[in-house]
Amino acid sequence: MESMQWEMAASSGTALLMWIVGLVVVGVLLAAFFWGRRVRSREPAPPRPDEQPKMPEGGPVGEVQEFREPNEVPRDGGRLLPTELDGNYGTPSTHRSPSQDPEDHKKPGGGSFGSGGPG
């Protein structure tokens, strides 16, 4: 008889624990929901239709592909320190290359794996 009372006490304790866990989970979900609404209310509103970007009068702008002249590092034989570079070497320049023929701008293949070279 005592073992039966112990089982009933254990099962009622487990049921109480499950109720408490369930209430905690619901509380966490409600808190997350209200916190998300609060964060969302601080964000700017989506743009109105009259604030949307407009297409240019001449229609959509096409893609422009052109070859640019590289900014070469000076090759006077002297040593350049990183502090002596102004940050523009090796980056594309702002002026157009005189030749726009793709064959003039092909880089020679290297000797690494997959280059098709011997060995």
Side-chain angles (χ1 to χ4, degrees):
M1 190 73 142
E2 269 186 41
S3 68
M4 191 173 214
Q5 288 176 346
W6 176 254
E7 287 176 12
M8 286 177 54
S11 66
S12 66
T14 304
L16 179 64
L17 180 66
M18 290 298 186
W19 271 100
I20 291 172
V21 169
L23 288 175
V24 168
V25 168
V26 168
V28 167
L29 289 173
L30 284 173
F33 174 77
F34 286 115
W35 180 64
R37 285 191 55 171
R38 196 171 117 209
V39 168
R40 175 73 183 215
S41 69
R42 285 189 237 144
E43 293 177 356
R48 296 187 314 264
D50 60 323
E51 296 174 337
Q52 297 288 334
K54 304 282 187 248
M55 185 178 299
E57 290 189 21
V61 178
E63 181 179 344
V64 176
Q65 291 186 352
E66 60 184 20
F67 293 103
R68 313 292 279 177
E69 283 292 319
N71 288 334
E72 295 290 335
V73 176
R75 304 208 186 274
D76 58 2
R79 180 178 175 190
L80 282 175
L81 298 175
T83 54
E84 296 172 330
L85 295 174
D86 63 358
N88 291 329
Y89 295 114
T91 59
S93 70
T94 58
H95 56 279
R96 205 169 180 253
S97 175
S99 169
Q100 293 296 310
D101 184 18
E103 293 297 321
D104 293 341
H105 296 279
K106 279 189 176 176
K107 296 187 186 218
S112 64
F113 178 77
S115 66

